[in-house]
Amino acid sequence: MKLSTEPYKGVRDFYPHDKQIQTYIFNMWREVVEQYGYVEYDASVLEPRELYEAKSGEDIVNHETYSFTDRGNRNVTLRPEMTPTVARMIAQRQREIVFPARWYSIPNLFRYERPQRGRLREHWQLNVDLFGDESLTADKEIISIGFNILTRFGVNPEQFEIRINDRRIVQSAFAELGLDEETSYALQKLIDKKDKISDFAEKAEALLGKPFEYNPEPNQEIVEIIKQLKKDGISNVYYDPTLMRGFDYYTGIVFEFFDKHPDNNRSLFGGGRYDNLLDIFESKRISAVGFGAGDVGIQHVLETYKLIPHLQRSTIGICALTIDDIPKTESLATEMRKNGCNVAINTSLKKPSTLLNWSEKSDNRFTLFIGETERMNSVITIRENIKKKSITLPESELISWLKKA
Ligand code: HAM
């Protein structure tokens, strides 16, 4: 039996064009967060399982992780999220790190989910986290970065909305209902899933023993942050007391960004404040706020609104027409590379139309042919693949022409 060429369920292969789109997304993420002074970190995909048992939440640990026992009997998990890892790293070097610390990363994460539009088993996620600043300004910065990322991609603020809540509102509303810790936790998880289940009201009533009424007013922090964001020109922020977020470590504001288009009904970004997560380590208290934004969702948004630009490579394809042209093709390519050009050679000696097809399909920006005329007269013909236009130059002017182009 021959093997299947399909990738493993729920993960993607990135053919060169797919990778080019992903790189475009990553570059935009980097550009925006670095403008706010965030520095990049990274870590291994492997973590001890206990890291997630502490405060991520039982759903993710028991149902969504890829976990295994290694040959030394250790429980290992492929990271399903980056927050526990970054908290571990900050806690480990807490004495050397100067605060406020602004860190970002673009890790691949693994979750054993039912693959569906917008949810896969491996995705890449921009993580932007600010440590050691408890102020509302920090919360505001984190939300503003998310807003700026979307608008820099060309998404119109009318096309998305930011829903915001505060875990403290939820806690005090549940306390007013007189719920014990266990029921509160179960209710929070139920509300988190309300859009995915059809019998939410019945389930809530069964849990509480009475119909569930829940309409808490926003607290001072929520009112203030919405007001301040509006002042900065960010007015698509809405208070939503049913926004829970799945992870147990959040302690203050929580938020999610949603595309309003019905095809993309899952959150694009999600985050919040988690001031106690570092307590799971031997650490002083370090406050933190941040978010994660996945590559799958953002790509769907860019496709939906036709916002992916034509991504051209800078490569120059240089083709020899006869066997006598190969040395010149190679030496010219070397010279061009020394001058900073990206050059791919083709010495297959196929017919010119085939060579041109190779150069165009490889997404090369220019095609150069080296034949007898070029060799004898020291001239070069450059074809711009997209415009399908050619120009002939003295060879001595080639490099300066390319530099200008
Ligand atoms: P999260 O809400 O689980 O948060 O994920 C954040 C974003 O990652 C989601 O809004 C979505 O875009 C994307 N995402 C999550 N799971 C998948 C999946 N299976 N397939 C495709 N995309 C996915 C967290 O992970 C928090 N640790 C974020 C955070 C950072 N909070 C504070 N700092």
Side-chain angles (χ1 to χ4, degrees):
M1 199 185 83
K2 302 282 190 194
L3 297 181
S4 164
T5 55
E6 289 296 309
Y8 167 72
K9 186 175 175 176
V11 308
R12 292 161 290 170
D13 289 328
F14 291 87
Y15 283 83
H17 183 66
D18 309 315
K19 192 67 196 170
Q20 209 181 3
I21 294 174
Q22 200 193 42
T23 303
Y24 168 72
I25 293 172
F26 289 4
N27 287 346
M28 188 69 90
W29 282 347
R30 286 206 162 86
E31 211 176 291
V32 176
V33 300
E34 288 186 6
Q35 282 188 332
Y36 285 80
Y38 285 72
V39 292
E40 190 165 10
Y41 67 95
D42 209 344
S44 166
V45 298
L46 300 176
E47 284 282 9
R49 185 185 154 96
E50 63 192 22
L51 186 63
Y52 306 102
E53 284 164 348
K55 273 194 181 187
S56 286
E58 58 192 29
D59 265 3
I60 194 144
V61 176
N62 296 335
H63 306 292
E64 289 186 0
T65 53
Y66 281 88
S67 293
F68 63 96
T69 311
D70 75 7
R71 290 172 206 279
N73 245 348
R74 296 172 203 92
N75 290 323
V76 184
T77 292
L78 291 185
R79 60 183 176 204
E81 56 153 340
M82 200 60 167
T83 312
T85 299
V86 72
R88 179 177 64 66
M89 289 168 68
I90 292 275
Q92 189 179 74
R93 299 261 173 104
Q94 54 183 296
R95 279 184 201 85
E96 292 139 63
I97 294 168
V98 285
F99 296 98
R102 293 180 163 86
W103 285 22
Y104 82 93
S105 188
I106 307 179
N108 55 338
L109 308 178
F110 302 85
R111 295 185 191 180
Y112 194 78
E113 300 212 40
R114 188 170 61 80
Q116 52 195 296
R117 183 171 163 85
R119 282 293 177 272
L120 298 174
R121 289 183 172 176
E122 181 189 24
H123 76 283
W124 273 257
Q125 192 190 80
L126 169 69
N127 276 254
V128 184
D129 291 275
L130 174 44
F131 296 91
D133 186 342
E134 283 184 68
S135 71
L136 211 62
T137 315
D139 299 354
K140 198 179 79 168
E141 172 172 305
I142 286 293
I143 294 176
S144 305
I145 292 173
F147 179 90
N148 278 317
I149 285 174
L150 283 177
T151 53
R152 280 285 283 284
F153 276 117
V155 187
N156 189 315
E158 280 160 21
Q159 289 165 324
F160 69 95
E161 65 184 27
I162 305 166
R163 296 184 203 155
I164 180 170
N165 191 14
D166 193 318
R167 279 277 170 95
R168 290 165 296 187
I169 298 175
V170 181
Q171 273 157 12
S172 55
F174 287 4
E176 267 173 40
L177 289 171
L179 305 182
D180 59 38
E181 212 172 295
E182 202 181 316
T183 317
S184 289
Y185 189 77
L187 185 60
Q188 184 189 318
K189 295 287 163 192
L190 189 65
I191 298 176
D192 189 38
K193 291 200 186 82
K194 72 178 184 322
D195 295 334
K196 296 178 196 140
I197 53 178
S198 53
D199 54 350
F200 170 74
E202 290 85 343
K203 283 212 164 102
E205 186 166 349
L207 191 64
L208 302 176
K210 58 181 178 193
F212 177 47
E213 272 177 48
Y214 175 72
N215 227 340
E217 291 289 315
N219 61 10
Q220 193 50 41
E221 285 81 358
I222 293 284
V223 172
E224 192 57 29
I225 199 165
I226 292 178
K227 193 170 102 192
Q228 289 196 20
L229 284 166
K230 199 173 232 164
K231 235 196 252 162
D232 294 348
I234 302 177
S235 39
N236 53 348
V237 190
Y238 305 96
Y239 167 57
D240 175 1
T242 68
L243 183 90
M244 293 296 157
R245 305 270 307 133
F247 302 104
D248 291 350
Y249 47 69
Y250 293 115
T251 53
I253 64 145
V254 285
F255 61 86
E256 282 182 344
F257 284 51
F258 285 89
D259 178 11
K260 289 194 202 160
H261 197 283
D263 287 353
N264 307 324
N265 57 357
R266 295 178 169 280
S267 74
L268 294 174
F269 300 3
R273 180 165 277 287
Y274 52 103
D275 287 342
N276 301 336
L277 180 57
L278 278 85
D279 298 357
I280 66 173
F281 309 101
E282 198 60 59
S283 171
K284 64 179 180 203
R285 183 169 179 281
I286 299 171
S287 61
V289 59
F291 72 83
D295 64 331
V296 183
I298 193 72
Q299 187 172 338
H300 286 159
V301 167
L302 300 185
E303 284 164 358
T304 302
Y305 299 117
K306 303 203 172 13
L307 292 172
I308 300 177
H310 184 87
L311 299 167
Q312 201 178 34
R313 293 182 202 281
S314 59
T315 313
I316 301 157
I318 163 166
C319 313
L321 291 177
T322 70
I323 196 154
D324 298 330
D325 300 313
I326 292 178
K328 168 129 198 172
T329 302
E330 289 181 316
S331 62
L332 194 62
T334 305
E335 182 62 24
M336 288 162 77
R337 289 188 194 114
K338 276 189 195 147
N339 280 281
C341 302
N342 300 335
V343 188
I345 63 169
N346 189 324
T347 53
S348 64
L349 307 180
K350 296 211 169 104
K351 54 180 203 273
S353 60
T354 309
L355 294 172
L356 187 58
N357 187 45
W358 162 79
S359 183
E360 287 185 348
K361 291 262 164 73
S362 308
D363 273 341
N364 292 333
R365 180 153 177 223
F366 299 108
T367 311
L368 272 56
F369 289 105
I370 306 300
E372 201 183 338
T373 323
E374 284 75 15
R375 250 188 310 125
M376 295 306 181
N377 308 325
S378 291
V379 291
I380 296 285
T381 300
I382 309 168
R383 181 181 192 274
E384 196 158 351
N385 285 345
I386 287 194
K387 293 189 183 151
K388 301 194 190 304
K389 269 207 225 143
S390 299
I391 92 159
T392 303
L393 299 171
E395 194 189 316
S396 58
E397 290 174 20
L398 173 67
I399 300 288
S400 61
W401 188 90
L402 286 171
K403 279 189 175 153
K404 268 188 236 144

